[in-house]
Amino acid sequence: MKPRSLSAGLFGALVALAGSGQQPFGGLPDMVGKANADESGKQGGTAGRAPSVPMARDPSAAVAEEYESARRTGTRAAFELFIARHGDDPLAAQARTELKRLAR
């Protein structure tokens, strides 16, 4: 078999595997077009817009939750981990107080 016919055969196989799910260069794939069509059919649809990203959590709320978790656990290791991760936070002072209380 000649190398040219082998490469042409491989190219043909790749084209066949790619299927008809792709649009010509510059077009949108079928799935995107269908998704946009589905969105535009909904009341107040947002076809063409990117989905919105949820707001980021308040970091202080996450730190407070972690402190509460350490407090519920009630072990030296939990408080030491909290202090290591959030040593500058005001709750770290409370965690240090809890550590002193546990040492007694």
Side-chain angles (χ1 to χ4, degrees):
M1 185 177 250
K2 294 181 182 178
R4 268 201 157 131
S5 62
L6 178 63
S7 62
L10 287 175
F11 180 74
L14 287 175
V15 169
L17 287 175
S20 63
Q22 300 293 325
Q23 294 291 327
F25 291 110
L28 293 175
D30 284 342
M31 291 180 3
V32 173
K34 289 176 185 175
N36 287 342
D38 290 345
E39 285 294 319
S40 64
K42 294 179 183 176
Q43 189 170 7
T46 57
R49 280 195 204 165
S52 63
V53 177
M55 294 286 292
R57 277 186 68 195
D58 180 18
S60 61
V63 171
E65 287 176 9
E66 192 172 334
Y67 173 76
E68 285 303 314
S69 176
R71 193 181 60 74
R72 280 192 306 273
T73 304
T75 63
R76 289 188 61 80
F79 287 116
E80 288 170 351
L81 178 62
F82 179 82
I83 292 167
R85 294 181 73 187
H86 308 287
D88 295 337
D89 194 83
L91 287 174
Q94 291 180 1
R96 288 183 186 96
T97 303
E98 291 291 330
L99 270 178
K100 288 178 186 174
R101 186 182 60 77
L102 286 174
R104 293 183 196 160

